Amino acid sequence: MVVRCVVVCRRGVGEAVAATIAFALLSIALAYVILNAVPLLSNAPSTATGAVLGGVEQLVVIMRKDTVLEVVNVGSAPAKVEGVVVVNSSGDIVVMSIASSGICTSTPSGVAVPGSSIFVVCNSTGVVDYKPVGVVTEGGRVFAISSRIEAYAEKATGIPIIVLYGGVKVSSTSTLVELLYDRSMLYSNAINTTMPMTLSIDSSSTSMSARVNASLVIVGLNPISNKLNLLAIGFGASGNYVYDGRTNVSLARAGALRYRLKVEGFAGTLQINNADASPGIYPCYINTGKQCRVTMTGTADAIKLYTNTTSTAPQVTGLDPYLFVGDIDADNNTETIFITQDFTVGRSSTFNDINPQFGQRLALDSSLKPVRLIVGTVRGSQYSTAVLSIRFFYWDNSQDDVSDNDNRVIMRAGLVDPVTGDVRYSVSLSYYELCRYRNVVPFQVSYIAKDFLVYIPNEDKEFQIFVELVDPYSNTGYRNDADILLGLSYVGMTLTSR
């Protein structure tokens, strides 16, 4: 069974977002009253630029027909088009959502990657005609055929939301590593584990095939390449193998205690329990007490297979096998997921995560250091406060909740001084709050939306904006041994000027 996503948001967040959107739409509609003396429509292309994480967002919008816009990405960052600015037959300027209006569509997709074009087409309803004159990206930027529309629309929205993490800004581990505060953590000094692993396969741009039993499988889409990313976790059985075109690893031996198979950019046949797999989280052992059967044949941009070692001593290892990047719900928005869960759930009277095939063989993982992602910067002399809007999901394997685990920080966000490394301001979420939002068995993904108010020091310097993910639990006997899944979906920011 694949688990897809259920949205859980606090009422205040929803009302605030709704109010912002309503105000923006009203303001843009009023633009027509102000600008009606100036010719708005022109076939001449217009460009605008905006700095986004990982590159510059720069689009050229060209009117090809009265109902067709060509949107050319001449920048260095992918741009996701979510809205269309249109003039209707009454002369009103309206912003329409591509996803929900049913009037405008984008082809071949809603994401324009650097060097490519997409087309936006708007149809009449039989009563009202619509002429597209611009587009709105997920970051709230307006790109139109008239610079007057762009300038007024962006000013009229009042407090723009800056997208720091979301859409397709991160699509694989190789792009995620650019956000890591300490990039060396990907390979060492990140995770304490009771079940050491070693890297058995590390290949790129290769054919591959695999047949594995898995206790947990995560499948996600890379929206840029339209290929799949996969993380399979489990313990090997007879007939289990991974082949990368050169090396064939038998998991019945090498992965009998534990393995983690990480595949990115996969194209081919992928089946879970003899059915074609789609994006989502497959909580096989968590829900059923049995592993799923995963088979795959095709090509991959990257394959990494981590298998257990012969050592029984605890070990410190790198972060790579614990990170997944991919769009798990096919909405053109990639999640970054931090996973320390392997097999089972537990209580305060048992260990939470063990290899069930080998009795009390523990598979407990915890953070040696937090996973700190740098998602943006802000200048202290310009802005006094920032509101970070974060959308994420959380799950852990403790069925006894607060009687099994002490209250420790799971997620933190704030500002760090890039010169000294000092955290200048931070806010956090702890276990006692987060465990209220999840159900252990059956597993489900419940999205949570939180707003964090961050005070910015009044200093003429740049501060880095960070989000930290952490598993603070190793174990104290049977207690404090939770393993987690923590998925980051979106980070937006609004700023208050000094």
Side-chain angles (χ1 to χ4, degrees):
M1 178 179 66
V2 60
V3 175
R4 292 191 174 83
C5 306
V6 180
V7 177
V8 177
C9 296
R10 299 184 76 87
R11 181 179 177 185
V13 175
E15 291 175 349
V17 172
T20 302
I21 293 172
F23 178 66
L25 293 178
L26 178 61
S27 300
I28 292 174
L30 290 174
Y32 180 73
V33 177
I34 297 173
L35 300 172
N36 60 2
V38 181
L40 292 178
L41 302 181
S42 168
N43 288 325
S46 173
T47 65
T49 61
V52 298
L53 189 65
V56 174
E57 190 177 74
Q58 184 173 3
L59 302 180
V60 176
V61 179
I62 306 168
M63 179 173 282
R64 293 302 184 190
K65 297 179 181 179
D66 279 354
T67 59
V68 180
L69 291 181
E70 182 180 3
V71 181
V72 186
N73 190 336
V74 296
S76 57
K80 182 180 180 183
V81 174
E82 293 191 338
V84 184
V85 183
V86 301
V87 176
N88 64 24
S89 52
S90 299
D92 299 319
I93 296 178
V94 181
V95 175
M96 289 186 167
S97 166
I98 290 179
S100 60
S101 70
I103 302 296
C104 299
T105 58
S106 59
T107 183
S109 72
V111 179
V113 299
S116 72
S117 297
I118 63 173
F119 293 87
V120 173
V121 181
C122 296
N123 300 308
S124 65
T125 62
V127 178
V128 181
D129 293 327
Y130 295 96
K131 179 175 289 188
V133 294
V135 296
V136 183
T137 68
E138 67 172 354
R141 292 301 313 278
V142 179
F143 299 88
I145 62 173
S146 165
S147 59
R148 290 181 174 87
I149 293 177
E150 292 169 357
Y152 186 83
E154 292 186 354
K155 183 177 179 180
T157 55
I159 305 177
I161 297 176
I162 303 167
V163 178
L164 301 178
Y165 177 96
V168 295
K169 293 178 181 179
V170 174
S171 57
S172 64
T173 303
S174 61
T175 54
L176 178 67
V177 73
E178 299 297 320
L179 306 186
L180 281 176
Y181 182 77
D182 180 0
R183 297 180 185 180
S184 68
M185 287 178 60
L186 197 66
Y187 307 106
S188 63
N189 297 320
I191 301 293
N192 290 307
T193 180
T194 60
M195 192 177 288
M197 292 184 293
T198 186
L199 185 58
S200 297
I201 289 179
D202 184 2
S203 297
S204 59
S205 301
T206 182
S207 60
M208 69 156 298
S209 62
R211 182 169 63 246
V212 300
N213 290 359
S215 57
L216 176 65
V217 186
I218 306 177
V219 180
L221 188 70
N222 179 332
I224 294 178
S225 67
N226 209 34
K227 297 178 181 180
L228 293 176
N229 297 341
L230 172 140
L231 179 65
I233 300 169
F235 53 89
S238 177
N240 283 191
Y241 73 92
V242 177
Y243 177 61
D244 70 344
R246 293 177 293 275
T247 304
N248 193 323
V249 177
S250 169
L251 293 184
R253 299 185 59 185
L257 297 180
R258 177 199 211 183
Y259 76 86
R260 289 194 172 211
L261 172 62
K262 186 172 181 177
V263 181
E264 294 188 322
F266 175 78
T269 301
L270 171 62
Q271 291 192 324
I272 298 178
N273 287 341
N274 298 318
D276 290 340
S278 57
I281 298 179
Y282 296 77
C284 309
Y285 206 95
I286 296 168
N287 281 2
T288 67
K290 297 179 181 179
Q291 294 200 104
C292 296
R293 179 174 292 274
V294 180
T295 57
M296 53 195 310
T297 303
T299 61
D301 295 336
I303 307 171
K304 291 187 178 180
L305 173 65
Y306 295 85
T307 58
N308 60 260
T309 68
T310 56
S311 172
T312 58
Q315 184 188 59
V316 176
T317 188
L319 187 61
D320 184 59
Y322 298 88
L323 285 179
F324 174 86
V325 178
D327 177 7
I328 64 171
D329 43 17
D331 64 352
N332 283 322
N333 186 82
T334 54
E335 285 80 12
T336 293
I337 308 176
F338 176 45
I339 312 108
T340 55
Q341 168 69 17
D342 285 273
F343 308 120
T344 61
V345 300
R347 298 185 177 276
S348 57
S349 58
T350 63
F351 290 114
N352 285 8
D353 201 356
I354 63 172
N355 181 322
Q357 188 171 249
F358 288 88
Q360 294 297 302
R361 186 64 192 266
L362 304 183
L364 304 180
D365 302 291
S366 61
S367 298
L368 179 64
K369 294 186 292 186
V371 181
R372 179 182 291 178
L373 303 176
I374 302 299
V375 295
T377 61
V378 64
R379 191 155 197 89
S381 58
Q382 291 181 289
Y383 301 101
S384 59
T385 59
V387 176
L388 300 180
S389 299
I390 302 179
R391 184 174 182 259
F392 63 99
F393 65 84
Y394 172 79
W395 179 90
D396 70 82
N397 62 4
S398 179
Q399 292 182 296
D400 284 343
D401 298 335
V402 300
S403 62
D404 191 20
N405 299 286
D406 296 333
N407 195 24
R408 299 177 183 174
V409 171
I410 303 290
M411 175 183 283
R412 188 167 70 141
L415 303 177
V416 64
D417 187 321
V419 177
T420 65
D422 295 335
V423 173
R424 300 298 301 274
Y425 192 90
S426 68
V427 287
S428 61
L429 291 172
S430 62
Y431 179 77
Y432 283 9
E433 175 166 6
L434 290 177
C435 71
R436 297 184 299 136
Y437 298 110
R438 62 92 176 95
N439 188 66
V440 179
V441 179
F443 176 97
Q444 68 179 29
V445 173
S446 297
Y447 278 113
I448 306 160
K450 291 284 187 179
D451 285 348
F452 298 90
L453 179 61
V454 174
Y455 292 96
I456 305 169
N458 189 4
E459 301 173 22
D460 189 20
K461 63 193 308 182
E462 294 282 340
F463 295 99
Q464 292 177 326
I465 303 162
F466 72 85
V467 177
E468 283 182 352
L469 316 176
V470 60
D471 179 345
Y473 299 109
S474 51
N475 71 299
T476 310
Y478 291 136
R479 296 190 70 253
N480 293 317
D481 61 343
D483 281 341
I484 70 171
L485 278 84
L486 182 56
L488 181 65
S489 176
Y490 170 87
V491 182
M493 176 176 69
T494 57
L495 293 167
T496 302
S497 299
R498 291 199 182 278

